[in-house]
Amino acid sequence: MAAKPMMMPKTTFVPPVIGHRGACGHAPENTLVSFRRAAALGVRWVEFDVRLSRDREVVVLHDEGLERTTNGGGLVAEKDWAELQALDAGAWYDEEFSGARIPSLGQAISVLAELGLGANVEIKPGPGQSDETGRITAARLRAEWPATLPPPVISSFDSESLKAARNTAPDIPRALVVSKIPTDWRNRLAALGCTALHCNHKHLSPGQAGEVLDAGFALRCFTVNRAARAATLFGWGVETVITDYPERMPA
Ligand code: G3P
Ligand code: MG
């Protein structure tokens, strides 16, 4: 009898430690220099956030607005890539990093390939852009992700973005991101074809961790910056911690 087609996305090896926004305890978040710092600290994967510019470039930036992490202002969704590219995304963190730019997804991928870093790409859609951000990001990853790297993990707090990513590139593994684990987590993960749940460790109990693992999903936690806490979470079966300080994590 012929094997049934796989209904779940392909799995990928995810290491126990992922650098948050690169290594944002050491360098300006979501910049190429932050990825380089993460690699220098020995991590094998980084997490970063992506959203769309007005002209539909996929850019690596956490916030909807530009004020906190650049010398610009206003909404990313209302700026073209040419304008975003001209901003300084490093000086706010420390003068040492002035001149760092907002990377495009393509630029990020090039540096990841150079460094041999895997990635968790977190989709942060602007208002009304859930479907489009998921679709465009997944299409870019499908087209541009280097065969030399392990498949990335697409994650999002936004179910619509994950649904769009699934429709566009079903083979790229997906994870639902939540702060507190909601009561309907099982149905949501199943409906979105996710292989993992990413949650804030502060709200996680060992019982919940056990339920997620028993249901066959991987569990990863953010943002874990203390070694003792990471050790506890690993003891509960958490696969991965996402951290601002990779060098603090248990070896
Ligand atoms: O992807 C894990 C974590 O990054 C989610 O929260 O706000 O840091 O993007 P945030
Ligand atoms: Mg994030």
Side-chain angles (χ1 to χ4, degrees), residues 47 52 72 215:
E47 182 266 2
L52 295 182

Side-chain angles (χ1 to χ4, degrees), residues 136-156:
I136 294 175
T137 303
R140 294 284 303 272
L141 289 171
R142 189 185 53 193
E144 297 174 32
W145 191 256
T148 51
L149 295 179
V153 170
I154 290 176
S155 68
S156 189

Side-chain angles (χ1 to χ4, degrees), residues 20-21 47 49 62 120 122 124 155 157 177 198 222-223 242:
H20 189 221
R21 309 179 195 174
E47 182 266 2
D49 309 289
H62 181 276
N120 169 199
E122 189 196 333
K124 297 266 196 218
S155 68
F157 284 97
V177 190
H198 292 189
F222 60 91
T223 304
I242 300 174

Side-chain angles (χ1 to χ4, degrees), residues 217-228:
F217 299 100
L219 182 59
R220 307 184 188 117
C221 287
F222 60 91
T223 304
V224 183
N225 287 334
R226 287 177 40 246

